[in-house]
Amino acid sequence: MWDGPCPSAADPQEPAVSTSSPPQAASAQTHLGHVVFISAAAAMGGFLFGYDSAVINGAVTGIQKHFGVGNSETAFVVAIALLGSAAGAVAAGRLADHLGRVRTMLLAAVLFAISGVGSMFPPSIGMLAFWRVLGGVAIGIASVIAPTYIAEVAPTAYRGRLASFQQLAIVLGITVSQLANYALNQAAGGTSTGHLGGIQAWQWMLGVETVPALVYGLMALAIPESPRFLIAVRREEEARKVLREVEGPGVDLDARITEIRAVLDTSHKPRAKDLLGGRFGLLPIVWVGIGASVFQQFVGINVIFYYSSFLWQSVGINEGNSLLISLSTSIVNVIGTVIAISLVDRIGRKPLALAGSAGMAVSLGLAAWAFSHRVGTGDTATLANSYATTALVAAHVFVLCFAFSWGVVVWVLLGEMFPNRIRALALSVAASAQWIANWAITVSFPDLADWNLSATYVIYTFFALLSIPFVAFFIKETNGRPLEEMG
């Protein structure tokens, strides 16, 4: 996906490594294994990002039954984490500059672990919402700090592929959460309120997150601080050591440190007024970034990852099978993401986005048609086999089309499309718009589904269709263009 935001605060004007001489390129090759480990450790935050975001899907039914709450209260608990994520994303940049990249990762790991334990034993629905907010803050921090760190340590020749670790980690986290949900549900007798070791299955689903959170913390302790941060705080001897580790003994350390310091000393910190201009307040390019973020969410992708068990149960599929479907769509999401990573630099951003929009519109339309044949309401709702099969196929095709296009392309575009002088701030605004749009879809789906499930999917289809002219007329191709030409 994502499905949810993961902006990078790294300065795009600062190269991670100079490639002016063959020894440096050879050094990057020699030390690639070390840099891969460092990048993978940082991307563990993305894994937790995906896990924490999607694990609630398996717990929704158990939460409703345990606390005796309806769809509105459940939607509030599911969606409230996204507001925490927005807050965490806003705070992450300053935390990273104040504490350092590694300490900020450790903070995120601690928040993930505390949220997991708290969510496992909530005394009330209100306290569960609190722990969800705390986990959301950790998600927001992880969404910023991992790509920032990777960009600052990765050799130029491999930066794109190493940066993709974050997105791949997110979709793997989603998949593992659905696998864990299904396994725990089956072990508890096929219901999320069944007991395992005296604790209900939905509690285990939320609490298991503590294990990867601890792994994330241990991996963060094993990686070096970003040389860019070390130079910013005048710890240049430590920066020399890290640069030697990631770039090799052949690098001219004095030249590299001078280069990084020059960029840090001359970098422009944009202010809000830098984004103003044009007829509608903000610069046109900023509106385009906001539009891309909103369209990414308004097609309803996170309904699949937050509510798919609820969705399929609402058309007569039992809880165990609904979680199995959630797992299969998560696997399709991984496949689509791998396809996107392999194609985004080959055929460009716009062709992928247009193809994905068309595929999403068709598949969402089919799902809306199939859901229109639902019979009954609530626990008695059913869908005839032929329509159920159509809905299942349409859902998987929708996820595939999203994953190979908008799930990856939007974040690539947001990292490239803005002028250098406003890139960091404009990306932050667009990312905030994405969190808010994600929250709006998440909090509204249960009540909309109760009102009319088919009509809800017609709304998502409308936004998928509308995204086609948006891409065609407002998105400019960024593939192969220098960042200095953007905007």
Side-chain angles (χ1 to χ4, degrees):
M1 289 196 268
W2 181 241
D3 312 325
C6 47
S8 171
D11 190 332
Q13 299 183 68
E14 179 194 331
V17 60
S18 173
T19 56
S20 58
S21 62
Q24 289 173 338
S27 175
Q29 289 282 0
T30 302
H31 292 265
L32 182 59
H34 182 55
V35 177
V36 166
F37 169 77
I38 290 173
S39 301
M44 188 68 187
F47 179 92
L48 281 158
F49 176 169
Y51 189 99
D52 189 88
S53 297
V55 72
I56 193 69
N57 175 45
V60 165
T61 302
I63 290 169
Q64 285 187 318
K65 292 179 179 178
H66 181 77
F67 292 109
V69 295
N71 288 342
S72 296
E73 294 92 338
T74 305
F76 175 80
V77 171
V78 173
I80 194 68
L82 301 172
L83 299 182
S85 298
V90 170
R94 291 191 178 185
L95 286 171
D97 288 338
H98 180 69
L99 300 176
R101 282 46 167 162
V102 171
R103 286 182 179 177
T104 304
M105 290 183 207
L106 289 170
L107 174 62
V110 170
L111 292 178
F112 275 124
I114 293 174
S115 171
V117 174
S119 298
M120 192 175 185
F121 302 103
S124 66
I125 193 72
M127 283 304 299
L128 177 58
F130 172 79
W131 295 122
R132 291 277 298 158
V133 170
L134 194 65
V137 172
I139 289 173
I141 294 173
S143 73
V144 172
I145 194 60
T148 298
Y149 179 85
I150 293 171
E152 292 178 352
V153 301
T156 299
Y158 302 99
R159 185 188 295 152
R161 277 165 284 183
L162 292 173
S164 70
F165 278 19
Q166 170 77 348
Q167 182 66 19
L168 188 59
I170 291 171
V171 297
L172 287 174
I174 293 171
T175 303
V176 171
S177 73
Q178 302 311 306
L179 178 61
N181 285 349
Y182 178 72
L184 289 166
N185 179 275
Q186 293 303 296
T191 172
S192 55
T193 52
H195 284 75
L196 288 170
I199 299 173
Q200 294 184 32
W202 68 267
Q203 294 176 270
W204 283 110
M205 292 174 187
L206 300 181
V208 165
E209 175 189 16
T210 306
V211 176
L214 294 175
V215 173
Y216 180 36
L218 292 174
M219 294 183 77
L221 289 172
I223 62 178
E225 182 54 84
S226 159
R228 185 180 188 274
F229 171 77
L230 292 172
I231 292 171
V233 296
R234 307 300 178 185
R235 290 158 58 184
E236 293 185 0
E237 286 306 310
E238 294 177 61
R240 285 174 180 272
K241 180 181 178 182
V242 176
L243 286 169
R244 189 178 292 113
E245 288 179 5
V246 300
E247 298 183 10
V251 68
D252 185 339
L253 296 177
D254 290 331
R256 271 304 277 131
I257 290 173
T258 300
E259 179 183 24
I260 295 172
R261 189 190 302 118
V263 172
L264 289 172
D265 290 343
T266 60
S267 59
H268 169 68
K269 293 185 177 180
R271 294 167 293 179
K273 70 177 184 179
D274 294 330
L275 303 184
L276 301 178
R279 262 187 286 175
F280 302 102
L282 298 174
L283 292 170
I285 191 66
V286 179
W287 281 118
V288 173
I290 291 172
S293 292
V294 170
F295 273 118
Q296 190 200 50
Q297 295 302 314
F298 275 15
V299 295
I301 185 62
N302 281 316
V303 167
I304 296 292
F305 295 109
Y306 298 166
Y307 290 120
S308 64
S309 65
F310 172 89
L311 170 66
W312 299 117
Q313 288 175 64
S314 73
V315 293
I317 296 174
N318 67 45
E319 187 176 346
N321 286 337
S322 70
L323 291 176
L324 187 60
I325 294 169
S326 300
L327 175 60
S328 66
T329 51
S330 298
I331 293 171
V332 169
N333 190 33
V334 174
I335 294 170
T337 300
V338 172
I339 292 172
I341 291 170
S342 67
L343 293 180
V344 69
D345 287 326
R346 295 184 184 181
I347 68 174
R349 287 59 162 148
K350 283 188 72 168
L352 275 182
L354 287 169
S357 292
M360 288 190 296
V362 172
S363 54
L364 285 168
L366 280 173
W369 174 78
F371 289 142
S372 70
H373 293 85
R374 182 175 66 164
V375 177
T377 59
D379 294 337
T380 64
T382 59
L383 200 61
N385 286 341
S386 59
Y387 299 121
T389 300
T390 300
L392 286 170
V393 171
H396 285 75
V397 172
F398 166 59
V399 171
L400 179 65
C401 291
F402 178 89
F404 78 66
S405 60
W406 284 76
V408 170
V409 166
V410 167
W411 284 108
V412 173
L413 284 170
L414 291 179
E416 298 173 335
M417 65 189 291
F418 301 115
N420 283 340
R421 64 186 178 84
I422 64 166
R423 180 169 289 113
L425 183 57
L427 197 157
S428 177
V429 170
S432 297
Q434 191 171 128
W435 283 119
I436 293 169
N438 189 347
W439 172 82
I441 290 295
T442 303
V443 78
S444 65
F445 174 75
D447 286 335
L448 284 174
D450 273 351
W451 163 65
N452 191 317
L453 182 60
S454 178
T456 302
Y457 268 77
V458 169
I459 294 171
Y460 301 152
T461 304
F462 170 76
F463 282 109
L465 285 170
L466 200 58
S467 71
I468 296 175
F470 174 80
V471 173
F473 295 111
F474 295 105
I475 296 292
K476 294 181 179 179
E477 182 59 71
T478 58
N479 191 29
R481 294 177 59 195
L483 293 178
E484 289 69 28
E485 293 182 6
M486 301 302 173

